[in-house]
Amino acid sequence: MSLYALYPSLIRPLIFCMDPENAHSMTIKLGSFLAKEPLVKLAGQKVASKPVEVMGLKFDNPLGLAAGMDKNGDAIDYLGALGFGHLELGTVTPLPQEGNARPRMFRIVQAHGLINRMGFNNKGVDYLVTKLQQRHYKGIVGVSIGKNETTPLERAADDYLICMNKVYKYCDYIAVNISCPNTKDLTALQEAEPLIKLIGALKEEQAKLAHEHNKYVPLVVKIAPDLTDVQLDAICQACLSLKIDGMTCTNTTTSRDEIYGLPHASEWGGLSGEPLRQKATQILSKVHASVKNQIPLIGVGGINGVIAAREKMAAGASLLQLYSAFVYQGPQVIADIVDNL
């Protein structure tokens, strides 16, 4: 039996005695320590080979780690050794920033959910680039990019372009985070006019960088689960017209319908985990119907086992990502999903 199989019964109760953000920081620090040889071999786990090719990239399997877990790339080699087919790092901003005031992360234990309002806390893009250069993990690595909170919305493209230029050479794809509910006004970038302006600028820069580095790095747009059908259709049409390389469905939700009355349900921020599962899958299905297989989709939100993973794939996802299930079930959930896909 793998030590990770004991996580829910023995390890999680100890971790859940800690403040959620402190527990997260400890996990990343431990992952950074375990990333070193020969510990990384001992800490890793074998998963079945289920190769897929998406966006011109070859993934060992469809399951990845969602952005937010390792914002600064401190534990790339450890997380990669757990069997993920890809890792999405970040969200990263041009300058380091503290994010929102603590407390800013809450467990909704009865619902296997998390609420966070971290606010893009990270050490800045230059720090992440250093970690990308140092990594030994050979799997696919994506970087989620965003804007600094102090940057006016009308100049948001400047921040995204800075991050894109700095990470382009060192990652396999770039995710454009315009849907996090924890940075003031950020989700306004999902409206048709600002979206077209932003993505248009990024696509132009992508063409220049592809020529400069002789390497094409796909661009993925990550959308919210709280969009109306009209907003969603406008985003899909914009992504189609701009020939975006992929779409991630979805970010966290501001809805509290599924957890009403539970402890911490009234905290503001983005809700993830099991309570997001149905809403995220519905958005994924609508996007799939709208883009008609012309844009590959990454399914995220409430993937806590193979059934939820199959739901996302049936709804149109070519790739999958999880985060909250990792918190509640530990690394064993990766093997449980990949081995049974």
Side-chain angles (χ1 to χ4, degrees):
M1 178 188 288
S2 163
L3 175 64
Y4 293 133
L6 302 174
Y7 177 90
S9 58
L10 294 181
I11 302 171
R12 188 178 71 193
L14 297 175
I15 292 176
F16 276 27
C17 288
M18 302 173 64
D19 166 81
E21 187 171 347
N22 289 342
H24 177 267
S25 297
M26 183 199 71
T27 300
I28 295 301
K29 286 177 183 175
L30 179 61
S32 178
F33 173 73
L34 293 173
K36 300 174 177 65
E37 295 285 2
L39 295 175
V40 70
K41 286 189 174 64
L42 298 173
Q45 65 178 348
K46 296 288 186 184
V47 302
S49 177
K50 302 285 177 72
V52 292
E53 186 168 336
V54 182
M55 301 185 295
L57 302 172
K58 294 180 180 178
F59 298 76
D60 288 340
N61 65 70
L63 183 64
L65 178 68
M69 173 63 75
D70 191 2
K71 291 174 181 286
N72 301 301
D74 286 317
I76 299 175
D77 291 337
Y78 167 68
L79 292 167
L82 296 177
F84 284 113
H86 69 282
L87 305 174
E88 190 168 303
L89 309 174
T91 295
V92 69
T93 54
L95 301 174
Q97 63 181 27
E98 292 296 322
N100 295 319
R102 297 182 65 164
R104 53 191 181 178
M105 184 182 286
F106 308 89
R107 301 183 189 101
I108 317 298
V109 178
Q110 296 95 319
H112 278 213
L114 297 170
I115 290 174
N116 93 82
R117 51 173 181 257
M118 305 300 285
F120 288 174
N121 60 311
N122 73 103
K123 297 176 182 177
V125 68
D126 290 332
Y127 181 94
L128 176 60
V129 166
T130 299
K131 293 298 181 179
L132 288 169
Q133 291 172 303
Q134 294 172 349
R135 78 183 188 270
H136 298 287
Y137 172 61
K138 301 298 183 188
I140 299 295
V141 174
V143 174
S144 175
I145 60 174
K147 80 170 191 72
N148 280 114
E149 188 170 9
T150 54
T151 302
L153 204 62
E154 59 270 20
R155 288 180 46 212
D158 295 346
D159 279 14
Y160 286 94
L161 286 166
I162 289 168
C163 290
M164 182 181 183
N165 270 275
K166 291 195 173 187
V167 305
Y168 190 94
K169 184 179 177 181
Y170 305 106
C171 66
D172 299 296
Y173 73 87
I174 295 170
V176 185
N177 189 346
I178 52 171
S179 52
C180 176
N182 306 322
T183 295
K184 188 175 184 293
D185 297 329
L186 186 78
T187 55
L189 293 173
Q190 295 176 114
E191 297 297 332
E193 187 177 336
L195 176 67
I196 290 170
K197 183 179 177 182
L198 172 62
I199 300 303
L202 291 173
K203 287 296 289 185
E204 282 184 23
E205 194 67 17
Q206 179 192 39
K208 294 176 187 174
L209 291 168
H211 177 73
E212 180 183 334
H213 296 290
N214 195 29
K215 173 188 178 184
Y216 185 85
V217 176
L219 271 179
V220 175
V221 172
K222 188 171 187 177
I223 64 172
D226 304 313
L227 300 162
T228 66
D229 287 350
V230 172
Q231 290 173 315
L232 197 61
D233 188 60
I235 289 172
C236 289
Q237 295 313 307
C239 287
L240 283 167
S241 66
L242 292 164
K243 293 182 168 51
I244 204 71
D245 300 293
M247 295 176 69
T248 300
C249 311
T250 67
N251 214 315
T252 57
T253 180
T254 56
S255 170
R256 297 294 183 267
D257 294 345
E258 294 81 0
I259 61 168
Y260 178 79
L262 296 179
H264 302 304
S266 60
E267 297 288 350
W268 74 270
L271 171 65
S272 62
E274 174 63 24
L276 176 58
R277 177 175 167 180
Q278 185 176 6
K279 181 186 282 279
T281 304
Q282 287 172 346
I283 293 290
L284 171 67
S285 183
K286 289 177 180 179
V287 171
H288 181 246
S290 186
V291 302
K292 298 180 173 62
N293 294 320
Q294 295 176 74
I295 300 176
L297 306 179
I298 304 174
V300 196
I303 298 177
N304 59 2
V306 70
I307 301 302
R310 288 172 180 167
E311 283 177 0
K312 290 285 194 285
M313 298 191 89
S318 298
L319 296 171
L320 309 167
Q321 291 178 351
L322 57 75
Y323 179 155
S324 299
F326 189 80
V327 173
Y328 280 94
Q329 299 181 51
Q332 182 68 38
V333 71
I334 304 160
D336 289 345
I337 292 173
V338 174
D339 290 353
N340 293 291
L341 276 178

